[in-house]
């Protein structure tokens, strides 16, 4: 392990893990200094730390938290990162509102303290320019490589104790430059508009200067050559319970159970929550008891429809080390569970969502990376990570329960990875014959809420104020062509009313479900 102490964007001191000073003279940027060290020590972890935090750096924890080579960790005690809260006007992802109390996925890498493996630095070579501003370089590197499979985290355990933050906030010029270099050009216009609308600021010069910078997103980098094998043991007993909510899909569910029966690595329990909203109705799943299954089937029947409620009922029955959240209309190969555990062991993480495609659908993502959402019908989660998680019934019959559940996991320090392999075939079976259309609380409102109150609920619970405002601006323009009012002033007035009703009903859902 090599430790680099820096100050004022210059390397001040380089030491080994046992605190032996090294001769290292460099008048270049800190980024180029890291590259030179990587050339000298290609098999080492390289740690950076601001000189003022030298006594707070916890080197002993690094082998534990930095458990494979394709990672980059950092931490800043400040509530807002280098680009401050204004980045929320540009990006809707969960990587903006960072929970500083747990290990949390984000591309917002801090110069204050962090660690990366030399092999990654050498793989990148000069694909990411060695910016003089170390914070800018780190954020650029992470933003460009997270979609390619680099796992990036805010990791509070890098510091032994709470410490006063060293200010690293940037200027509006740098903010606009970063947006221009890492997003589509349209976003600098939207950033300018949002700052004018919501903050009454008119950063015309930063906007104009940003136009002269080239976009960096088309970098030619392949991280597949970096071997991943986590030293973190997350699978011990390798037992798994399968959760399947079902409604009116007798034949499809039977096929799912047969696929599970044929697994080379059998589940311990399969928890089936059958829903039929008609009073007096009974279970139609006779094969659950008529046939012999190599696992225990825990069957629950309820007249209350709703996948959120059904999955919550199933979660109370979990006894295994892992949970497979499944749908009732999927098909999987015989080695599916075994291959999934192999991937989980490889990356050392406790939640994965697996590629789930319809027949003939083209796979978009071919690499393992940090997922922005969560698949409630295609995910494996470590049971201990679920102890404080429930599917929020405020989303019942709406949109957002998957993403909300993923955010609950992340806020407990449990990241969600996307696995392109093994694959799940999603049949998209037709709805069961006795499904009824739910009555939504707001469906008789004279002013219909826009967006859906469940979408607004997710925004309110998990996004920053800037992200919500940015979403509102985009929705305003996107919705215009899909509605009947073409007079811009009348449209604006009506849109405001619809937005206010959405906020109202989202708050109602929040209160009703004691969030």
């Amino acid at each position: 392990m090599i430790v680099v102490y820096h100050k004022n964007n210059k390397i001040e001191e380089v030491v080994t893990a046992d605190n032996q000073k090294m001769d290292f003279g460099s008048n270049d940027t800190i980024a180029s200094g890291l590259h030179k060290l990587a050339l000298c020590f290609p098999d080492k972890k390289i740690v950076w730390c601001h000189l003022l935090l030298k006594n707070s750096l916890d080197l002993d924890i690094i082998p534990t938290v930095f458990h494979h080579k394709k990672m980059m960790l950092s931490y800043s005690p400040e509530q807002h990162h280098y680009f401050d809260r204004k980045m929320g006007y540009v990006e809707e992802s969960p990587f903006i509102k960072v929970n500083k109390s747990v290990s949390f996925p984000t591309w917002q890498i801090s110069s204050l303290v962090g660690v990366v493996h030399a092999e990654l630095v050498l793989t990148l070579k000069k694909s990411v320019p060695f910016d003089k501003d170390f914070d800018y370089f780190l954020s650029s590197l992470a933003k460009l490589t997270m979609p390619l499979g680099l796992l990036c985290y805010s990791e509070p355990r890098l510091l032994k104790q709470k410490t006063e933050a060293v200010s690293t906030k940037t200027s509006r010029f740098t903010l606009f430059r970063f947006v221009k270099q890492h997003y589509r050009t349209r976003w600098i216009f939207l950033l300018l508009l949002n700052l004018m609308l919501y903050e009454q600021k008119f950063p015309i010069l930063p906007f104009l200067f940003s136009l002269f910078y080239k976009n960096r997103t088309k970098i030619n980098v392949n991280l597949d050559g970096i071997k991943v094998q986590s030293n973190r043991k997350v699978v011990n007993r390798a037992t798994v319970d399968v959760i399947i909510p079902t409604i009116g899909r007798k034949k499809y569910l039977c096929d799912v159970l047969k696929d599970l029966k044929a697994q080379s690595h059998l589940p311990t329990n399969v928890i089936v929550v059958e829903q039929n909203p008609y009073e007096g109705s009974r279970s139609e799943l006779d094969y659950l008891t008529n046939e012999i299954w190599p696992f225990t089937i825990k069957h629950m029947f309820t007249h209350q429809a709703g996948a959120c409620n059904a999955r919550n009922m199933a979660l109370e029955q979990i006894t295994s080390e892992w949970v497979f959240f499944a749908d009732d209309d999927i098909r999987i190969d015989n080695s599916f569970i075994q291959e999934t555990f192999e991937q989980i062991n490889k990356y050392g993480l406790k939640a994965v969502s697996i590629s789930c495609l319809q027949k003939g659908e083209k796979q978009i993502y071919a690499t393992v990376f940090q997922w922005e959402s969560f698949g409630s019908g295609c995910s494996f989660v470590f049971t201990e990570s679920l102890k404080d998680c429930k599917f929020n019934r405020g989303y019942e019959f709406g949109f957002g329960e998957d993403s909300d559940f993923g955010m609950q996991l992340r806020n407990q320090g449990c990241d969600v990875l996307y696995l392109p392999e093994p694959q799940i075939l999603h049949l998209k079976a037709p709805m069961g014959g006795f499904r009824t259309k739910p009555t939504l609380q707001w469906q008789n409102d004279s002013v219909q809420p826009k967006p859906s109150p469940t979408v607004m609920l997710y925004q309110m619970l998990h996004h920053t104020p800037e992200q919500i405002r940015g979403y509102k601006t985009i929705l305003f323009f996107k919705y215009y062509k899909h509605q009947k009012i073409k007079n811009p002033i009348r449209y604006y007035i009506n849109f405001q009313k619809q937005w206010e009703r959405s906020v109202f009903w989202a708050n109602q859902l929040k209160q009703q479900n004691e969030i």
Side-chain angles (χ1 to χ4, degrees):
M1 189 185 303
I2 306 297
V3 187
V4 175
Y5 294 102
H6 65 88
K7 187 177 181 181
N8 298 326
N9 277 317
K10 290 184 178 180
I11 294 177
E12 297 287 334
E13 191 178 326
V14 178
V15 301
T16 61
D18 57 356
N19 209 32
Q20 298 295 313
K21 287 189 178 182
M22 297 173 53
D23 289 330
F24 185 79
S26 176
N27 295 320
D28 297 328
T29 64
I30 300 175
S32 63
L34 294 190
H35 186 256
K36 289 178 181 179
L37 286 169
L39 288 170
C40 297
F41 306 97
D43 60 343
K44 298 289 186 181
K45 301 180 185 74
I46 301 178
V47 179
W48 65 86
C49 180
H50 196 285
L51 202 57
L52 295 178
L53 299 179
K54 185 174 183 178
N55 294 329
S56 299
L57 176 62
D58 190 348
L59 293 174
D60 294 333
I61 198 65
I62 288 178
T64 300
V65 296
F66 193 87
H67 51 94
H68 63 74
K69 294 179 181 180
K70 203 184 284 189
M71 301 180 73
M72 183 160 63
L73 314 179
S74 78
Y75 187 67
S76 168
E78 292 184 307
Q79 185 59 38
H80 298 292
H81 282 82
Y82 178 62
F83 292 108
D84 203 4
R85 55 186 177 79
K86 295 178 181 62
M87 189 56 74
Y89 288 127
V90 178
E91 184 169 320
E92 294 182 22
S93 82
F95 310 137
I96 298 298
K97 188 178 180 181
V98 177
N99 186 339
K100 293 301 186 80
S101 63
V102 298
S103 178
F104 198 91
T106 181
W107 56 262
Q108 299 180 86
I109 300 296
S110 172
S111 67
L112 295 185
V113 59
V115 56
V116 69
H117 200 278
E119 189 172 340
L120 173 72
V121 179
L122 294 176
T123 300
L124 293 172
K125 297 178 182 177
K126 294 185 179 180
S127 298
V128 181
F130 296 150
D131 299 287
K132 182 178 180 180
D133 186 329
F134 192 39
D135 277 285
Y136 194 96
F137 166 76
L138 291 171
S139 294
S140 180
L141 188 158
K143 180 64 179 173
L144 295 172
T145 55
M146 269 186 77
L148 305 178
L150 182 65
L151 308 187
C152 303
Y153 298 94
S154 167
E155 180 50 76
R157 288 174 289 180
L158 291 175
L159 296 179
K160 296 176 184 176
Q161 69 255 356
K162 289 184 178 180
T163 182
E164 289 187 12
V166 181
S167 180
T168 58
K169 287 186 176 62
T170 189
S171 68
R172 292 176 194 166
F173 285 89
T174 308
L175 172 65
F176 273 88
R177 174 192 167 188
F178 189 87
V179 173
K180 177 60 167 62
Q181 291 190 309
H182 299 85
Y183 299 83
R184 292 183 177 181
T185 302
R186 71 183 70 161
W187 286 104
I188 60 171
F189 291 91
L190 285 166
L191 175 59
L192 176 65
L193 178 61
N194 284 321
L195 289 172
M196 292 167 61
L197 287 175
Y198 303 114
E199 300 191 18
Q200 290 73 56
K201 294 176 180 176
F202 303 88
I204 303 300
L205 280 179
F207 165 76
L208 292 175
F209 272 73
S210 70
L211 293 172
F212 295 95
Y213 288 98
K214 290 183 178 181
N215 190 278
R216 292 183 176 181
T217 55
K218 294 182 180 179
I219 61 170
N220 185 22
V221 174
N222 190 336
L223 303 184
D224 293 342
I226 301 176
K227 185 180 178 181
V228 176
Q229 186 53 63
S230 173
N231 60 25
R232 176 185 291 176
K233 189 171 179 59
V234 292
V235 179
N236 293 299
R237 293 180 288 131
T239 56
V240 58
D241 287 353
V242 184
I243 288 177
I244 311 176
T246 187
I247 179 168
R249 287 176 174 167
K250 179 179 179 180
K251 176 185 179 302
Y252 291 96
L253 175 64
C254 186
D255 289 337
V256 176
L257 294 175
K258 288 178 179 177
D259 284 352
L260 292 171
K261 182 179 181 179
Q263 290 297 300
S264 57
H265 185 122
L266 288 169
T268 304
N269 303 293
V270 177
I271 305 167
V272 177
V273 183
E274 183 184 4
Q275 307 150 74
N276 189 326
Y278 294 133
E279 292 298 326
S281 59
R282 296 181 180 181
S283 173
E284 63 173 1
L285 307 179
D286 52 341
Y287 50 73
L288 296 183
T289 53
N290 292 345
E291 297 185 27
I292 298 175
W293 305 98
F295 37 70
T296 300
I297 293 183
K298 297 181 179 181
H299 177 221
M300 289 179 282
F301 182 86
T302 177
H303 291 301
Q304 181 173 332
C308 294
N309 177 67
R311 290 191 174 98
N312 286 339
M313 290 175 61
L315 285 172
E316 295 176 359
Q317 303 297 316
I318 297 297
T319 58
S320 291
E321 183 181 39
W322 287 83
V323 178
F324 172 29
F325 292 86
D327 273 339
D328 60 357
D329 60 344
I330 62 172
R331 301 304 304 267
I332 54 178
D333 291 337
N334 297 353
S335 59
F336 173 78
I337 293 179
Q338 179 183 334
E339 289 179 27
T340 301
F341 274 132
E342 289 172 358
Q343 290 294 309
I344 288 171
N345 269 320
K346 182 177 178 180
Y347 282 88
L349 286 181
K350 298 182 178 181
V352 295
S353 286
I354 301 158
S355 174
C356 187
L357 304 174
Q358 297 179 53
K359 189 174 182 180
E361 187 177 357
K362 187 177 180 181
Q363 182 153 339
I364 299 175
Y365 308 111
T367 189
V368 176
F369 67 101
Q370 287 164 299
W371 192 230
E372 294 185 9
S373 186
F374 176 84
S376 58
C378 57
S379 296
F380 274 62
V381 182
F382 188 60
T383 300
E384 281 296 307
S385 299
L386 294 168
K387 58 183 178 182
D388 295 320
C389 295
K390 294 287 183 184
F391 283 89
N392 188 331
R393 289 181 59 189
Y395 298 98
E396 200 77 277
F397 307 116
F399 301 97
E401 78 275 10
D402 291 35
S403 297
D404 177 87
F405 198 83
M407 289 307 302
Q408 291 182 51
L409 289 170
R410 291 182 191 92
N411 282 311
Q412 294 190 78
C414 179
D415 191 17
V416 181
L417 289 192
Y418 169 86
L419 297 184
E421 298 287 344
Q423 291 187 355
I424 296 173
L425 175 62
H426 192 191
L427 300 179
K428 274 288 185 180
M431 292 183 176
F434 50 74
R435 289 181 190 239
T436 57
K437 189 175 181 179
T439 301
L440 303 174
Q441 300 177 61
W442 50 86
Q443 69 182 35
N444 294 322
D445 254 12
S446 58
V447 177
Q448 282 297 296
K450 188 71 182 181
S452 164
T454 57
V455 173
M456 182 65 77
L457 177 61
Y458 178 83
Q459 293 279 332
M460 293 167 59
L461 290 176
H462 302 298
H463 281 176
T464 67
E466 291 73 24
Q467 286 180 295
I468 296 173
R469 294 168 189 161
Y471 172 75
K472 182 179 182 181
T473 301
I474 293 172
L475 182 65
F476 176 84
F477 289 114
K478 282 187 173 181
Y479 184 45
Y480 180 75
K481 63 182 179 181
H482 297 294
Q483 50 83 50
K484 296 179 180 179
I485 302 174
K486 297 307 175 185
N487 182 297
I489 297 175
R490 285 182 56 213
Y491 169 65
Y492 172 76
I493 294 171
N494 189 66
F495 179 84
Q496 286 288 92
K497 291 179 180 178
Q498 289 184 293
W499 181 271
E500 289 169 5
R501 292 309 291 169
S502 182
V503 171
F504 169 80
W505 284 113
N507 280 316
Q508 291 293 108
L509 293 174
K510 188 176 179 181
Q511 293 171 11
Q512 292 165 9
N513 291 278
E514 299 180 353
I515 301 168

